[in-house]
Amino acid sequence: MNYPIIDLHCDVLLRFENNKLNFLDSKHLDANLENLRAGHVKVQAFAIFISPDIPKQDKIKSALRQIYYFNNYVISPGNHVVHIKEWSQIGQLKENEIGAFLTIEGVDFFEGDIKMWHIFKDFGVLNIGLTWNFSNEAADGVGEDLARGVTSFGREIIQLNNEHKIFTDVSHLSEKSFWDVMEHANYAIATHSNAKALCDHPRNLTDAQIQAMIQKKAPIHIVYSPQFIKQSGGVTIKDLLHHVDHICSLGGKELIGLGSDFDGISEKVHGLETAAQHQNLINEMLKLYPEEVVKGFAYQNFLNHCPK
């Protein structure tokens, strides 16, 4: 039996920036449409991520081009991919339809201008991470901690997210920024992070952070990137499931979901190389957990904690 999948992170739009690719079946896309259907993905989040190598004045152009790719390649007529702009639309998807929604992975291209938040909200963005790895006008990231945490501009973004039922993503934040988001965000989420206790990578969450997420009933979506799973090579699905076990042991069983990071990672978990293989993960989960729990990991936990 195949379970529908809700995947909260992929970087397909970034791949279009550097290549002329066919979203339908390009072998150079982990999460092309063919693979999404083969993996029974029901809802896929598409990140707007701006390469840190792009000059600051060109970052907004890259963001707008990625909106273009989403509108013209991903939700193109005939793909049966529906643009999700309100959470309630997920429940209205037909059997042959995939839902797709936009996220922001770092607000560098806002350049401290809150009008940009309103513009991209109108484009349909439903989840915003204040930073990627570096600091910007909104917050510090895991790779550049200036000890500021979330700035006043970042708090303004969080407040608007709260008012409009948009998630604030903690996956790339510095530790101080994380705790600031915990204090101010009504709808916190980790879209693609694992447990630091098992793999000491800056992008992973400490037990204290995971427990804070659990207390706030904030979803925690595990990421398929090997470097966030195990410090040595040859990473398997069973290695990834150790992170699921650990989060469950802290009380997070009903908050765990999936955030693959397909098309944003070069190394892959054996048996999880593309979106077509999501069910390999589900099958391994079924060996360890009851069916209802696995359904939660695949899609239901996220639906249960979506803003209403």
Side-chain angles (χ1 to χ4, degrees), residues 184-255:
H184 295 288
N186 294 345
Y187 307 108
I189 194 168
T191 59
H192 56 308
S193 291
N194 292 335
K196 198 166 188 175
L198 301 188
C199 182
D200 189 13
H201 190 284
R203 278 270 288 96
N204 285 340
L205 300 172
T206 66
D207 283 1
Q209 289 175 314
I210 291 170
Q211 287 166 334
M213 296 285 284
I214 292 167
Q215 187 173 3
K216 204 173 180 70
K217 294 185 169 25
I220 303 167
H221 284 236
I222 58 168
V223 60
Y224 301 0
S225 175
Q227 62 182 315
F228 305 151
I229 298 170
K230 196 171 78 169
Q231 290 178 318
S232 56
V235 177
T236 67
I237 292 175
K238 288 183 179 178
D239 293 322
L240 177 57
L241 290 180
H242 290 322
H243 290 265
V244 174
D245 284 338
H246 186 76
I247 297 168
C248 285
S249 74
L250 296 173
K253 181 176 68 177
E254 295 178 353
L255 294 166

Side-chain angles (χ1 to χ4, degrees), residues 12-290:
V12 165
L13 303 181
L14 177 67
R15 297 293 297 277
F16 287 134
E17 273 286 74
N18 303 314
N19 306 276
K20 292 187 75 172
L21 302 173
N22 183 352
F23 176 65
L24 298 181
D25 59 5
S26 172
K27 301 305 179 190
H28 300 289
L29 287 175
D30 303 332
N32 64 37
L33 184 58
E34 182 178 76
N35 288 343
L36 293 176
R37 292 201 179 281
H40 297 270
V41 175
K42 191 62 180 175
V43 179
Q44 179 66 58
F46 289 82
I48 300 167
F49 169 65
I50 314 303
S51 170
D53 301 328
I54 292 179
K56 187 159 188 171
Q57 68 271 18
D58 293 333
K59 289 181 184 291
I60 185 62
K61 295 177 187 176
S62 178
L64 292 172
R65 282 195 299 268
Q66 290 180 53
I67 295 289
Y68 173 86
Y69 306 141
F70 181 80
N71 288 340
N72 288 276
Y73 304 161
V74 175
I75 59 170
S76 174
N79 286 358
H80 301 290
V81 178
V82 176
H83 187 183
I84 302 296
K85 288 188 170 186
E86 302 284 346
W87 296 118
S88 61
Q89 291 177 261
I90 294 176
Q92 299 164 14
L93 291 169
K94 297 174 183 174
E95 188 174 344
N96 68 329
E97 292 177 334
I98 294 172
F101 69 90
L102 288 164
T103 73
I104 290 175
E105 190 174 21
V107 298
D108 302 49
F109 61 90
F110 284 14
E111 294 190 40
D113 186 347
I114 202 63
K115 291 188 291 295
M116 293 296 110
W117 183 95
H118 292 277
I119 290 169
F120 280 82
K121 187 264 182 188
D122 288 346
F123 286 141
V125 166
L126 289 177
N127 172 68
I128 297 177
L130 299 177
T131 70
W132 182 58
N133 287 342
F134 303 125
S135 65
N136 59 23
E137 292 88 348
D140 294 339
V142 296
E144 187 181 12
D145 187 356
L146 304 180
R148 302 174 309 162
V150 174
T151 67
S152 59
F153 179 62
R155 289 195 298 274
E156 193 174 359
I157 291 172
I158 293 170
Q159 182 58 41
L160 285 168
N161 288 352
N162 291 345
E163 292 172 11
H164 293 269
K165 299 183 178 180
I166 291 172
F167 279 112
T168 301
D169 196 349
V170 303
S171 279
H172 281 274
L173 295 176
S174 71
E175 189 144 351
K176 187 175 189 312
S177 296
F178 171 90
W179 292 111
D180 287 345
V181 167
M182 285 295 101
E183 180 181 350
H184 295 288
N186 294 345
Y187 307 108
I189 194 168
T191 59
H192 56 308
S193 291
N194 292 335
K196 198 166 188 175
L198 301 188
C199 182
D200 189 13
H201 190 284
R203 278 270 288 96
N204 285 340
L205 300 172
T206 66
D207 283 1
Q209 289 175 314
I210 291 170
Q211 287 166 334
M213 296 285 284
I214 292 167
Q215 187 173 3
K216 204 173 180 70
K217 294 185 169 25
I220 303 167
H221 284 236
I222 58 168
V223 60
Y224 301 0
S225 175
Q227 62 182 315
F228 305 151
I229 298 170
K230 196 171 78 169
Q231 290 178 318
S232 56
V235 177
T236 67
I237 292 175
K238 288 183 179 178
D239 293 322
L240 177 57
L241 290 180
H242 290 322
H243 290 265
V244 174
D245 284 338
H246 186 76
I247 297 168
C248 285
S249 74
L250 296 173
K253 181 176 68 177
E254 295 178 353
L255 294 166
I256 294 171
L258 309 178
S260 68
D261 208 358
F262 282 135
D263 292 299
I265 52 177
S266 52
E267 296 178 35
K268 306 291 176 60
V269 175
H270 179 68
L272 271 181
E273 286 86 4
T274 75
Q277 296 173 301
H278 278 294
Q279 299 301 319
N280 290 347
L281 173 60
I282 297 302
N283 291 334
E284 290 299 318
M285 285 176 162
L286 286 167
K287 296 176 184 177
L288 300 174
Y289 300 99

Side-chain angles (χ1 to χ4, degrees), residues 283-302:
N283 291 334
E284 290 299 318
M285 285 176 162
L286 286 167
K287 296 176 184 177
L288 300 174
Y289 300 99
E291 185 176 355
E292 286 305 308
V293 173
V294 176
K295 285 181 180 177
F297 298 157
Y299 65 94
Q300 192 62 52
N301 287 349
F302 179 71

